[in-house]
Amino acid sequence: MIEARGLTKRYGKTLAVNDLSFTVQPGRVTGFLGPNGAGKSTTMRMMLGLDNPTSGEALIDGKHYRELRHPLRKIGALLDAKWVHPNRSAYAHLRWMAVSNKIPVSRVDEVLDLVGLTAVAKKRAGGFSLGMSQRLGIAGALLGDPEVLLFDEPVNGLDPEGILWIRKFMHRLADEGRTVLVSSHLLSEMSLTAQELVVIGRGRLIAQRSTEDFIHAATENTVKVRSPQASKLRDLLAGTDAALRDDADALIVSGLDAAQIGEMAAANQVVLHELSPQRGSLEEAFMQLTGDSVEYHTELTETVDQLVDVNR
Amino acid sequence: MTLLAVERIKLFSTRSPWWCMGLALTLMVGFAALVSGSADSAGDVSVPVTQFGYSFALAVILVLATLSVTTEYRFNTIRTTFQAVPSRTSALLAKTTVVALVSGVLGTIAAFGSLGVAMLLQPDASLALNSEADWRQVAGTGLVTFFAAVVAVAVGVLIRHTAGAVSVLLAYSLVAEGLVQLIPRVGDDIHQWLPFNVANRFLTGNPDVAVVFEGPGASTSTLSPWAALAYFAGFSIVMLLIALVTAKRRDA
């Protein structure tokens, strides 16, 4: 179990992580979600004792990272796949890690086999593709057969096959009863990978709940209706507690499902040209939630307007 | 012991330490061959002359020791190191020990190698190590490179960037200490206490015979040779302590 208690990190005037408290339970994959710059990596570095918190603490099974005797056997982490000396072989890289935590060196071959890098074990890590580096990083995280695993943006830059591989891998690790925390800035990815979500923005906790609840609550289900008798339909719907919104020549109804609207229209002999359920996208929901907390807003719309002005 | 094994694996599993060791040996033994081979007569070749290439070898050893730390920062493996060994002091002490030992052994081999090649090229020269001063000049090299490596590791931890740390170390040890002498009035007094100048005193100081050897390794320190070594060792330990405290407080 991982526990963050009032975790705060300040760099000069910027507050990277602000009084963050949450727990990560074993046996499932927990997604650590937030836009770029929300403080995900900083939080993970503090969990590993690499950065010192300004205040608060992060505990691994009730202990500070620095109190762990053989930390790699307790908690494995992949924060950045490029944290390898480019002229050192994958094997040598894992060997020194194994020796440092009294892990039998035979385990190095095991994890290399597990991630499918046996053939390139003696090659210099600097020549690895991103996907291979990512696999080497995962091999390093699994080296001590730890109960707790941290992965920072593990699917970034991977091809679909690599993404699928990692996703399945995370599930397997959680099914084995381990505690798995995976960060990402993509809700769509997390909806497939994580059963539980910890959502942060600008270093603050926005929500912690199950992925299903989160998506259900965050995405609004609506029905799009087009009818030549729009005004009659509008009057009918106004009698219910449904909310209405105009969208060009269509009505967007929320609070009623397509079947209810269809039956109501039939009972009152209203002709319908379209009746289609609309599902809000995860990205929209995520934007809505974290919209105020995005660290680096793009001035895209304004820039486009300016460009149009110039061209006139 | 575990941590020493870890640092040994790390040091020898990349290529640059091997290149540096080869270069240090080649430079020092090569200069000894050049100087003794081109001497007019065997009488011109003495024990100090065989050690002509010492300052070049020292420079390369400083680079080797600095790289052992700065490449870890450059490629962020220092974070993996601190992840595996959360006690930063233990991890860095182990690294310092391994690098200093390698540098010490390397310095010793280079010094005796230089003496040996001179003996081969000038069989008639009197190169036997007859006095304590002769022994210090040759066998002492390893002690100086040992503590010099400690200084270099400390500077590497403090500066973290290869280019910065290497230029500071080389510019300081090869140039800056000598330039201090140009300061009017107090220059010489300050120079007398600068660490690399004092370290040379240990190697070349000869209080028995009062011979002033001119060339690489000449020193203006007035300490006794062993006091000079203690002073240099003390300096390296102070630097190391500053580095350890800094590394502990800083974010990795």
Side-chain angles (χ1 to χ4, degrees):
Chain A
M1 192 175 93
I2 311 173
E3 203 180 347
R5 284 188 194 161
L7 215 47
T8 303
K9 180 70 183 178
R10 181 184 286 279
Y11 296 108
K13 280 185 179 171
T14 28
L15 208 52
V17 176
N18 187 358
D19 195 20
L20 197 56
S21 299
F22 63 88
T23 55
V24 184
Q25 299 293 339
R28 57 187 148 180
V29 178
T30 302
F32 193 26
L33 195 64
N36 291 328
K40 301 186 295 290
S41 301
T42 308
T43 304
M44 287 184 147
R45 280 204 304 273
M46 287 193 283
M47 288 174 171
L48 295 171
L50 294 175
D51 285 12
N52 304 313
T54 310
S55 65
E57 56 185 3
L59 301 174
I60 316 293
D61 280 352
K63 278 186 181 173
H64 286 276
Y65 191 86
R66 284 181 194 205
E67 294 163 2
L68 300 174
R69 210 170 118 64
H70 292 301
L72 297 186
R73 295 203 213 158
K74 183 78 189 173
I75 173 166
L78 166 60
L79 292 200
D80 189 323
K82 288 289 170 195
W83 289 358
V84 179
H85 194 298
N87 283 332
R88 194 175 279 138
S89 70
Y91 182 84
H93 175 71
L94 294 174
R95 189 161 87 97
W96 76 253
M97 287 174 72
V99 170
S100 71
N101 276 244
K102 293 197 161 52
I103 298 163
V105 178
S106 59
R107 175 75 183 152
V108 171
D109 294 316
E110 277 176 40
V111 289
L112 281 170
D113 195 42
L114 201 64
V115 299
L117 285 181
T118 309
V120 292
K122 304 280 176 172
K123 296 254 164 62
R124 45 185 291 272
F128 284 10
S129 68
L130 183 61
M132 288 159 85
S133 301
Q134 211 79 310
R135 281 163 189 258
L136 176 58
I138 288 176
L142 295 174
L143 192 62
D145 196 15
E147 299 154 41
V148 184
L149 287 145
L150 294 187
F151 297 99
D152 193 7
E153 306 266 2
V155 299
N156 249 12
L158 289 188
D159 54 15
E161 195 200 337
I163 293 177
L164 195 66
W165 184 80
I166 291 209
R167 204 182 285 156
K168 282 185 177 164
F169 211 91
M170 305 279 155
H171 286 149
R172 207 174 95 195
L173 292 169
D175 289 344
E176 288 167 1
R178 298 176 211 257
T179 308
V180 185
L181 182 65
V182 190
S183 82
S184 178
H185 60 275
L186 298 173
L187 179 58
S188 51
E189 174 55 34
M190 282 298 99
S191 70
L192 296 167
T193 310
Q195 287 108 42
E196 174 98 6
L197 285 180
V198 173
V199 187
I200 68 167
R202 285 209 180 171
R204 284 181 158 280
L205 186 71
I206 292 176
Q208 171 167 21
R209 56 172 83 158
S210 80
T211 311
E212 212 177 314
D213 283 359
F214 181 83
I215 290 170
H216 189 74
T219 55
E220 185 195 19
N221 289 319
T222 57
V223 182
K224 186 177 182 184
V225 196
R226 280 198 307 127
S227 166
Q229 295 155 275
S231 57
K232 191 175 178 193
L233 184 66
R234 195 187 299 269
D235 292 342
L236 281 172
L237 289 168
T240 68
D241 53 1
L244 299 178
R245 182 155 50 89
D246 283 305
D247 180 34
D249 62 338
L251 270 176
I252 305 291
V253 185
S254 52
L256 287 176
D257 64 16
Q260 289 170 312
I261 298 169
E263 276 161 24
M264 187 185 280
N268 294 281
Q269 296 187 326
V270 174
V271 176
L272 294 185
H273 286 174
E274 182 181 354
L275 178 66
S276 57
Q278 312 276 306
R279 192 164 171 77
S281 83
L282 290 175
E283 267 60 39
E284 279 172 27
F286 185 43
M287 296 272 283
Q288 250 175 15
L289 252 170
T290 59
D292 298 334
S293 59
V294 174
E295 179 80 351
Y296 309 103
H297 271 292
T298 56
E299 308 287 336
L300 191 63
T301 22
E302 283 162 40
T303 318
V304 170
D305 288 347
Q306 282 167 8
L307 283 175
V308 171
D309 280 345
V310 169
N311 287 337
R312 252 175 221 158
Chain B
M1 281 320 282
T2 309
L3 295 183
L4 295 183
V6 168
E7 291 301 331
R8 197 198 66 226
I9 297 171
K10 274 201 270 184
L11 187 64
F12 292 119
S13 58
T14 59
R15 267 174 284 165
S16 69
W18 294 104
W19 281 107
C20 287
M21 289 192 295
L23 189 61
L25 275 177
T26 313
L27 276 175
M28 189 153 172
V29 178
F31 268 112
L34 199 69
V35 172
S36 56
S38 62
D40 291 336
S41 72
D44 291 344
V45 181
S46 59
V47 172
V49 169
T50 65
Q51 305 297 308
F52 183 82
Y54 156 75
S55 41
F56 301 98
L58 178 69
V60 178
I61 287 171
L62 288 174
V63 171
L64 180 153
T66 314
L67 281 178
S68 74
V69 189
T70 52
T71 53
E72 286 231 35
Y73 280 102
R74 162 80 176 78
F75 300 117
N76 286 308
T77 51
I78 194 76
R79 291 180 171 151
T80 320
T81 300
F82 290 157
Q83 221 174 292
V85 187
S87 162
R88 298 182 184 182
T89 306
S90 316
L92 291 174
L93 270 180
K95 180 183 286 297
T96 312
T97 309
V98 169
V99 173
L101 281 174
V102 168
S103 303
V105 170
L106 184 63
T108 309
I109 296 173
F112 279 100
S114 301
L115 184 70
V117 79
M119 283 172 165
L120 281 176
L121 291 170
Q122 294 285 357
D124 299 331
S126 65
L127 291 174
L129 299 178
N130 288 321
S131 63
E132 194 236 333
D134 285 345
W135 273 104
R136 254 192 291 113
Q137 174 98 56
V138 181
T141 303
L143 290 172
V144 174
T145 52
F146 180 95
F147 290 113
V150 175
V151 175
V153 168
V155 171
V157 170
L158 289 171
I159 297 183
R160 290 185 280 188
H161 298 284
T162 302
V166 166
S167 27
V168 162
L169 274 165
L170 293 188
Y172 177 79
S173 64
L174 298 176
V175 185
E177 280 201 357
L179 289 180
V180 168
Q181 286 175 294
L182 299 177
I183 302 172
R185 280 205 300 280
V186 291
D188 284 334
D189 294 339
I190 299 173
H191 181 250
Q192 197 181 325
W193 292 100
L194 294 179
F196 285 88
N197 178 35
V198 175
N200 284 342
R201 172 70 180 170
F202 168 70
L203 290 175
T204 59
N206 192 344
D208 310 326
V209 193
V211 173
V212 182
F213 170 71
E214 293 292 341
S219 171
T220 60
S221 171
T222 52
L223 289 171
S224 79
W226 288 99
L229 181 71
Y231 180 89
F232 187 60
F235 169 74
S236 72
I237 287 163
V238 169
M239 290 296 288
L240 183 62
L241 287 176
I242 296 171
L244 291 177
V245 170
T246 310
K248 196 170 178 177
R249 294 176 53 182
R250 207 157 50 181
D251 289 337

